[in-house]
Amino acid sequence: AVLSSPTYRARETVRWAQLPTPQLRNELGDGGQSMQGVGAAQGDWLRAQVAQFRRGTNTFIVTHLPNISAAFPEDAQGIADGEALVFGPDGKGGATLLARIRIEDWPTLAR
């Protein structure tokens, strides 16, 4: 599954990554405020979505730094443009950070 911000740049990321057609979610966007309108509710929503992932499945979420920072402030520290955070179930109904993938590492992963 692919969940994405409805912003043009997020949809282009999905296209360039050759991911399946995304489900566009306003909660992953910028609220029409150029990332200034992201609030606690969007962070709460994102954190809840990540906690619902089922073991043995892959879900891609394409969003923006303020959303990630609101949901996972400690895990997002120092995150770079194009970097991905990989989460898995923590066994307690939440999620745990498994890996950080830098943009320059993506081509080697595709092989």
Side-chain angles (χ1 to χ4, degrees):
V2 179
L3 306 177
S4 176
S5 161
T7 64
Y8 178 76
R9 69 180 177 271
R11 290 182 286 126
E12 281 295 285
T13 297
V14 170
R15 184 175 72 84
W16 281 101
Q18 299 179 355
L19 297 171
T21 301
Q23 298 172 33
L24 301 180
R25 300 301 307 246
N26 288 330
E27 296 89 347
L28 296 171
D30 64 5
Q33 302 296 316
S34 297
M35 303 318 299
Q36 302 305 309
V38 173
Q42 283 173 280
D44 293 344
W45 184 90
L46 178 55
R47 196 171 31 263
Q49 292 301 305
V50 171
Q52 292 178 25
F53 295 161
R54 293 187 323 265
R55 189 176 295 280
T57 66
N58 293 314
T59 301
F60 290 87
I61 297 180
V62 181
T63 190
H64 312 280
L65 178 60
N67 301 58
I68 295 168
S69 294
F72 305 101
E74 292 178 19
D75 296 326
Q77 292 265 325
I79 194 168
D81 287 345
E83 187 173 357
L85 302 180
V86 180
F87 289 94
D90 67 1
K92 304 173 201 165
T96 187
L97 182 67
L98 300 175
R100 291 175 71 145
I101 303 171
R102 298 173 306 165
I103 194 167
E104 58 268 19
D105 295 334
W106 283 105
T108 60
L109 295 173
R111 294 182 192 155

